[in-house]
Amino acid sequence: MNYEDIRQTAYDTNMQLPKLGLVLFTFGNVSAADRQAGVFAIKPSGVPYEELSPEKMVIVDFDGKIVEGSLRPSSDTNTHAVLYKYWEKIGGIVHTHSTYATAWAQSHRDIPIFGTTHADHLTVDVPCAPPMNDAMIEGDYEYQTGFQIMDCFKEKGLSYEEVEMVLVGNHAPFTWGKTAEKAVYNSAVLEAVAQMALLTEQINPQAPRLKDSLIKKHFERKHGPNSYYGQ
Amino acid sequence: MNYEDIRQTAYDTNMQLPKLGLVLFTFGNVSAADRQAGVFAIKPSGVPYEELSPEKMVIVDFDGKIVEGSLRPSSDTNTHAVLYKYWEKIGGIVHTHSTYATAWAQSHRDIPIFGTTHADHLTVDVPCAPPMNDAMIEGDYEYQTGFQIMDCFKEKGLSYEEVEMVLVGNHAPFTWGKTAEKAVYNSAVLEAVAQMALLTEQINPQAPRLKDSLIKKHFERKHGPNSYYGQ
Amino acid sequence: MNYEDIRQTAYDTNMQLPKLGLVLFTFGNVSAADRQAGVFAIKPSGVPYEELSPEKMVIVDFDGKIVEGSLRPSSDTNTHAVLYKYWEKIGGIVHTHSTYATAWAQSHRDIPIFGTTHADHLTVDVPCAPPMNDAMIEGDYEYQTGFQIMDCFKEKGLSYEEVEMVLVGNHAPFTWGKTAEKAVYNSAVLEAVAQMALLTEQINPQAPRLKDSLIKKHFERKHGPNSYYGQ
Amino acid sequence: MNYEDIRQTAYDTNMQLPKLGLVLFTFGNVSAADRQAGVFAIKPSGVPYEELSPEKMVIVDFDGKIVEGSLRPSSDTNTHAVLYKYWEKIGGIVHTHSTYATAWAQSHRDIPIFGTTHADHLTVDVPCAPPMNDAMIEGDYEYQTGFQIMDCFKEKGLSYEEVEMVLVGNHAPFTWGKTAEKAVYNSAVLEAVAQMALLTEQINPQAPRLKDSLIKKHFERKHGPNSYYGQ
């Protein structure tokens, strides 16, 4: 079996999604990239999690062409491909329809940074990319979804290395990271942050965003040269 | 044992309801039809899920007459019967009182199509049939519930083959499909969509409905001649 | 061991509370009565569910006097006693602080009858008894809680045989039934109805109460001389 | 192995957090103090719960200096240290980012005392300490967090022996108690009270706070010289 490592990683991380309560049925997918080989392994489309195996993962290159595998890859494969192609330090990507993050995406709103749980992971509101125009939707939809995400980051001046998550308006979240494991972790964090932000606005519709000093402090505790979180 | 196939299917699919978190106690039922034989197998009334077995399923014809079985069938049997009789391509029906779908039914509101999770499964708002008039309620209530559902579809110009779910006002959801397995799947999808729609309105009371191009795109990814979802 | 039957029943039904998600730690108790003997078995106070056994149940008479048992009974024992004494057809009582029912109790509101899930079990709003006056609170508090519940039923013209649940304002729910098993069932139904009613008002603040014909129909499907639910 | 008792206690109580649904990944920590030895055992930073063992707990003194252990202690260690140093009867401290309590913290609001579930544990609103000023945040942040908590108690005239929980504005809850087990118990109680308070305000935005006589009665049932709850 070729590409054994990323097959195994893609399998393991896909299996994390139902355990973390992030997917119903097959509403999600994880991919894991091998940057040397210029390919990624991704979940086959519509196959229930309990029937997955490393062998069933599909190997695809960064232009979305199938390299190896007898099953059809996730219908979102081209979104993964385009993000791998242009964002060169990503090693894993996750797409889910997790409940709270998807509700924010359907609301067309960025998730405000209300607390340190959020600031531990990113220093800005979670961006929500607007829905595409009709020409993009009717064209190569999944490919354009990737460009829509990148355009949103350009417009807002965000770095994909610092902000590893996005909501696609009317659709659902995508997250990524240096590894597929980190991308899955980010999906679970996003869902928790999305739920807390909704509850915060319900308790206090005038709840203030986190102030800059706290955003800086918490982010730097976990990230950057002087971080002191973890081992 | 006669009708062994649909007994087994009805048993298996009924047992899915508690696993999917769609029922409390006995508040739900699934039936599976054998179109050749003109009958369906349905859960016996009020029997806890842990005491069910394929043998206990009751065989009923499309006029609601018991064909085989010593137990009384679900009190909703006549609603199933009338839908099987008039909607000839249905192979399975599910009724639950799942939390969020039931709350929408109690609210007398269609569930707005806010996102692609919804559009992956149907291209319109989930219809909510109004409560029946008093004469219908005092008459053959469960039978009339079936007609109320069909009238709602006629009035809104919907096809039961494209829209496989309905809310009955003040009551709760019914879903169906070519198979009982698909009908159960639809019940879980409906509950997820119902929860997300409520959260979406809480986050943004002015949240826009999904635009037509995205509705079309997502539905056609999963359904129709050029679908590319699944294997 | 004396009173073995009600000890076993009280043990079994108390153990149902955590399984049904109705209690955190020891925030709940079930009792089971032996009407012949004029006593009931109740959970000992503050003992974690995982340390319970039938032997640890405390036997108490309808005046609240301990008949048998080395442990102190639930601090709510006198509320149970007074309800058993005056409502002579009750065989079991449950008290919990389940999340949604308690939130309604804290809100000082009856739970409106919005749908058939509610009407399957009772034909009226779930009553909320007002908090007691200060003299009653400072007196024999738990005993007075029982009277407060009965006064609420008198004032609203309700029958404890038809309405087997109440919210005590600012406090939490009590439910009862012919048996302790039925009382536990009622606690779970109340929690589901309480959650759905809150969601219904969130989806539609003007949601109408269920109309009389539907209330009557659904209640009579499950109860009364012509019921056709169950076996 | 030294300090075996508090290592074991810190391990056992840390492992309770995921079981009680109070943490996602490593977003929480428990410490257990040995007052004789002037030290406490605390979770190592960023280590997943499933990889913990009593040996991995880090021993730290009340000035925040590591006494024993090869791993880096929780990044919140200095907050624990300062609370142990100045609040001399505390034996255990818990920090989580539990969903509902954190949402209240992000809302900068005290949790109103709406019912007896709350009054069973404390007689006042759960206090929310304001965010620190920028100088404190940029200084020794975790150390200052401890002082911020103590200042909040001084200003509100609260006793840490009677009120064993606090929300830190924009951040998340801390709880404590005579033992680490009690501190964990308090974290779960706080989360339940926080959820119920939010629901209460949703059901009735004018819901009244619990009246004094009920606050007194319920607190004294469980605490104080004439308490009659528990064994």
Side-chain angles (χ1 to χ4, degrees):
Chain A
M1 190 167 71
N2 296 314
Y3 309 110
E4 205 165 333
D5 274 11
I6 54 173
R7 283 175 184 284
Q8 187 68 44
T9 299
Y11 171 73
D12 290 343
T13 48
N14 270 292
M15 295 307 285
Q16 283 298 308
L17 296 187
K19 276 183 203 152
L20 286 163
L22 297 172
V23 293
L24 175 68
F25 298 128
T26 59
F27 302 0
N29 44 72
V30 186
S31 67
D34 178 337
R35 287 264 161 211
Q36 296 292 107
V39 298
F40 60 97
I42 190 164
K43 185 177 172 298
S45 181
V47 177
Y49 287 95
E50 57 274 24
E51 297 174 16
L52 289 184
S53 66
E55 295 75 35
K56 287 186 181 162
M57 297 296 133
V58 189
I59 306 297
V60 181
D61 72 16
F62 296 166
D63 292 314
K65 224 171 52 195
I66 297 178
V67 171
E68 204 181 275
S70 54
L71 294 169
R72 190 190 287 184
S74 165
S75 56
D76 299 299
T77 294
N78 279 341
T79 310
H80 291 243
V82 74
L83 293 179
Y84 282 125
K85 183 159 183 176
Y86 293 93
W87 285 354
E88 299 184 0
K89 294 188 184 160
I90 290 180
I93 297 173
V94 179
H95 174 51
T96 78
H97 287 225
S98 68
T99 307
Y100 287 89
T102 302
W104 281 91
Q106 293 189 162
S107 305
H108 295 231
R109 286 186 59 197
D110 297 351
I111 303 177
I113 181 166
F114 280 133
T116 61
T117 322
H118 187 135
D120 282 340
H121 299 92
L122 68 169
T123 62
V124 295
D125 295 353
V126 178
C128 181
M132 286 172 264
N133 66 42
D134 290 356
M136 288 167 81
I137 291 168
E138 283 150 25
D140 191 341
Y141 174 64
E142 290 78 14
Y143 193 72
Q144 296 294 350
T145 299
F147 281 105
Q148 189 74 356
I149 291 170
M150 292 190 294
D151 284 353
C152 167
F153 269 58
K154 262 178 231 153
E155 202 165 294
K156 290 176 186 270
L158 302 176
S159 153
Y160 76 88
E161 292 183 77
E162 285 171 14
V163 177
E164 299 182 325
M165 53 186 71
V166 73
L167 308 173
V168 177
N170 274 136
H171 187 169
F174 284 83
T175 65
W176 51 85
K178 290 221 173 78
T179 63
E181 289 84 355
K182 182 68 193 313
V184 169
Y185 172 92
N186 285 336
S187 280
V189 166
L190 169 56
E191 181 66 3
V193 163
Q195 182 179 11
M196 283 180 190
L198 165 56
L199 297 173
T200 299
E201 294 194 342
Q202 290 181 331
I203 295 169
N204 182 0
Q206 268 76 49
R209 291 173 79 264
L210 195 61
K211 59 182 184 171
D212 286 344
S213 55
L214 266 172
I215 292 175
K216 191 160 167 273
K217 183 69 193 180
H218 267 264
F219 194 74
E220 291 178 354
R221 291 209 315 174
K222 276 206 164 180
H223 311 271
N226 299 312
S227 70
Y228 49 95
Y229 181 89
Q231 300 300 326
Chain B
M1 190 166 72
N2 296 313
Y3 310 109
E4 204 164 333
D5 274 13
I6 54 172
R7 283 175 184 282
Q8 187 67 44
T9 300
Y11 171 73
D12 290 343
T13 48
N14 269 292
M15 295 307 285
Q16 284 297 309
L17 297 187
K19 275 184 204 151
L20 287 163
L22 298 172
V23 293
L24 174 68
F25 299 127
T26 60
F27 303 0
N29 44 72
V30 187
S31 67
D34 178 339
R35 287 266 161 207
Q36 296 292 107
V39 298
F40 59 97
I42 191 164
K43 184 176 172 300
S45 181
V47 177
Y49 288 95
E50 56 273 26
E51 298 174 14
L52 289 184
S53 66
E55 296 76 32
K56 287 186 181 162
M57 298 295 133
V58 188
I59 307 297
V60 181
D61 72 18
F62 296 166
D63 292 315
K65 222 171 54 193
I66 297 179
V67 170
E68 204 180 277
S70 53
L71 294 169
R72 190 191 288 184
S74 165
S75 55
D76 299 299
T77 294
N78 279 341
T79 309
H80 292 244
V82 74
L83 293 178
Y84 282 125
K85 182 158 183 176
Y86 293 93
W87 286 354
E88 298 185 1
K89 293 187 185 161
I90 292 181
I93 298 173
V94 178
H95 173 52
T96 77
H97 287 225
S98 68
T99 306
Y100 287 88
T102 302
W104 281 92
Q106 293 189 162
S107 304
H108 295 233
R109 287 186 57 199
D110 297 352
I111 303 177
I113 182 165
F114 280 133
T116 61
T117 322
H118 187 135
D120 282 339
H121 299 92
L122 68 170
T123 61
V124 294
D125 295 354
V126 178
C128 181
M132 286 171 264
N133 65 42
D134 290 356
M136 287 167 82
I137 291 168
E138 283 150 25
D140 191 342
Y141 175 64
E142 290 79 15
Y143 193 72
Q144 296 294 350
T145 299
F147 281 104
Q148 189 74 356
I149 291 170
M150 291 190 295
D151 285 352
C152 167
F153 269 57
K154 263 177 232 154
E155 201 165 296
K156 289 176 185 272
L158 302 177
S159 152
Y160 76 87
E161 292 183 77
E162 286 171 14
V163 177
E164 298 182 325
M165 53 187 71
V166 73
L167 307 173
V168 176
N170 273 137
H171 187 170
F174 284 83
T175 66
W176 51 86
K178 289 221 174 79
T179 63
E181 288 84 355
K182 182 69 193 313
V184 169
Y185 171 91
N186 286 335
S187 280
V189 166
L190 169 55
E191 182 65 4
V193 163
Q195 181 178 11
M196 284 179 187
L198 165 56
L199 297 173
T200 300
E201 294 194 341
Q202 290 181 332
I203 295 169
N204 182 0
Q206 269 75 49
R209 291 172 81 262
L210 195 60
K211 59 182 184 170
D212 286 343
S213 55
L214 266 172
I215 292 175
K216 190 159 168 273
K217 183 69 192 178
H218 266 264
F219 194 74
E220 291 177 355
R221 292 209 315 175
K222 276 207 164 180
H223 310 271
N226 299 313
S227 70
Y228 49 96
Y229 181 89
Q231 300 301 326
Chain C
M1 191 167 71
N2 297 313
Y3 310 109
E4 205 165 333
D5 273 13
I6 55 173
R7 283 175 185 282
Q8 187 68 44
T9 300
Y11 170 74
D12 289 344
T13 48
N14 269 292
M15 295 307 285
Q16 284 297 309
L17 297 187
K19 276 184 204 152
L20 287 163
L22 298 172
V23 292
L24 174 67
F25 298 127
T26 59
F27 303 0
N29 43 72
V30 187
S31 67
D34 178 339
R35 287 266 162 207
Q36 297 292 107
V39 299
F40 60 98
I42 191 165
K43 184 176 173 298
S45 182
V47 177
Y49 288 96
E50 57 273 28
E51 297 174 15
L52 288 185
S53 66
E55 297 73 35
K56 287 186 181 163
M57 297 297 133
V58 188
I59 307 297
V60 181
D61 72 18
F62 296 167
D63 291 314
K65 223 171 53 194
I66 296 179
V67 170
E68 205 180 275
S70 54
L71 295 170
R72 191 190 287 182
S74 164
S75 56
D76 299 300
T77 293
N78 279 341
T79 310
H80 291 243
V82 74
L83 293 178
Y84 282 126
K85 183 159 183 174
Y86 292 94
W87 285 354
E88 297 185 2
K89 294 188 185 162
I90 292 180
I93 298 172
V94 178
H95 173 53
T96 77
H97 286 225
S98 69
T99 306
Y100 288 88
T102 302
W104 281 92
Q106 293 189 162
S107 305
H108 295 233
R109 286 186 59 198
D110 297 351
I111 304 177
I113 182 165
F114 279 133
T116 62
T117 323
H118 187 135
D120 283 339
H121 299 93
L122 69 169
T123 60
V124 295
D125 295 355
V126 178
C128 182
M132 286 172 264
N133 66 42
D134 290 357
M136 288 166 82
I137 291 167
E138 283 150 24
D140 191 341
Y141 174 64
E142 289 79 14
Y143 193 73
Q144 296 294 350
T145 299
F147 281 105
Q148 189 74 357
I149 291 170
M150 292 190 293
D151 284 352
C152 167
F153 269 59
K154 261 177 233 155
E155 201 165 295
K156 289 176 185 269
L158 302 176
S159 152
Y160 76 86
E161 293 182 76
E162 286 171 14
V163 178
E164 298 183 324
M165 52 186 71
V166 73
L167 307 173
V168 176
N170 273 138
H171 187 171
F174 284 83
T175 65
W176 51 86
K178 288 222 174 77
T179 63
E181 288 85 355
K182 182 68 193 313
V184 169
Y185 172 92
N186 286 335
S187 280
V189 166
L190 169 56
E191 182 65 4
V193 163
Q195 182 180 11
M196 284 179 187
L198 165 56
L199 297 172
T200 300
E201 294 194 342
Q202 290 181 332
I203 296 169
N204 182 0
Q206 269 75 48
R209 291 172 81 261
L210 194 61
K211 58 182 182 171
D212 286 343
S213 55
L214 266 172
I215 293 175
K216 191 161 167 271
K217 183 69 192 179
H218 266 265
F219 194 74
E220 290 179 355
R221 291 211 313 176
K222 276 207 165 181
H223 310 271
N226 299 312
S227 70
Y228 49 95
Y229 182 89
Q231 300 300 326
Chain D
M1 191 167 70
N2 296 315
Y3 310 109
E4 204 165 332
D5 273 12
I6 55 173
R7 283 176 185 282
Q8 187 68 44
T9 299
Y11 171 73
D12 289 343
T13 48
N14 269 292
M15 295 307 285
Q16 283 298 309
L17 296 187
K19 275 183 204 153
L20 287 163
L22 298 172
V23 292
L24 174 68
F25 298 128
T26 59
F27 302 0
N29 44 73
V30 187
S31 67
D34 178 337
R35 287 265 160 208
Q36 295 293 107
V39 298
F40 60 97
I42 191 165
K43 185 177 172 298
S45 182
V47 177
Y49 288 95
E50 57 274 25
E51 297 174 15
L52 288 185
S53 65
E55 295 74 35
K56 288 186 181 162
M57 298 296 132
V58 188
I59 307 296
V60 181
D61 72 16
F62 296 167
D63 291 314
K65 224 172 52 195
I66 297 178
V67 170
E68 204 180 275
S70 54
L71 294 168
R72 190 191 287 182
S74 165
S75 56
D76 299 300
T77 294
N78 280 341
T79 310
H80 291 243
V82 75
L83 292 179
Y84 282 126
K85 182 159 183 176
Y86 292 94
W87 285 354
E88 298 185 0
K89 294 187 184 162
I90 291 180
I93 297 173
V94 178
H95 174 52
T96 78
H97 286 225
S98 68
T99 307
Y100 288 87
T102 302
W104 280 93
Q106 293 189 162
S107 305
H108 294 232
R109 286 187 58 198
D110 297 351
I111 304 177
I113 181 166
F114 280 133
T116 61
T117 323
H118 187 135
D120 283 339
H121 299 93
L122 68 169
T123 61
V124 295
D125 295 354
V126 179
C128 181
M132 286 171 264
N133 66 43
D134 289 357
M136 288 167 82
I137 291 168
E138 283 149 26
D140 191 342
Y141 174 63
E142 290 79 13
Y143 192 73
Q144 296 294 349
T145 299
F147 282 104
Q148 189 75 356
I149 291 170
M150 292 190 294
D151 283 353
C152 167
F153 269 59
K154 262 177 230 152
E155 202 166 293
K156 289 176 185 271
L158 302 175
S159 152
Y160 76 87
E161 293 183 75
E162 285 171 14
V163 177
E164 298 183 325
M165 52 186 71
V166 74
L167 308 172
V168 176
N170 273 138
H171 188 170
F174 283 83
T175 65
W176 51 86
K178 289 219 173 81
T179 64
E181 288 85 354
K182 182 67 193 313
V184 169
Y185 172 92
N186 285 335
S187 280
V189 166
L190 169 56
E191 181 67 3
V193 163
Q195 182 179 11
M196 283 179 190
L198 165 56
L199 297 173
T200 299
E201 294 193 342
Q202 290 181 331
I203 295 169
N204 182 0
Q206 269 75 50
R209 291 173 80 262
L210 194 61
K211 59 182 182 170
D212 286 343
S213 54
L214 265 172
I215 293 175
K216 191 160 167 271
K217 183 68 193 181
H218 266 264
F219 194 74
E220 291 179 355
R221 291 210 315 175
K222 276 206 165 181
H223 311 271
N226 300 313
S227 70
Y228 49 94
Y229 181 88
Q231 301 300 327

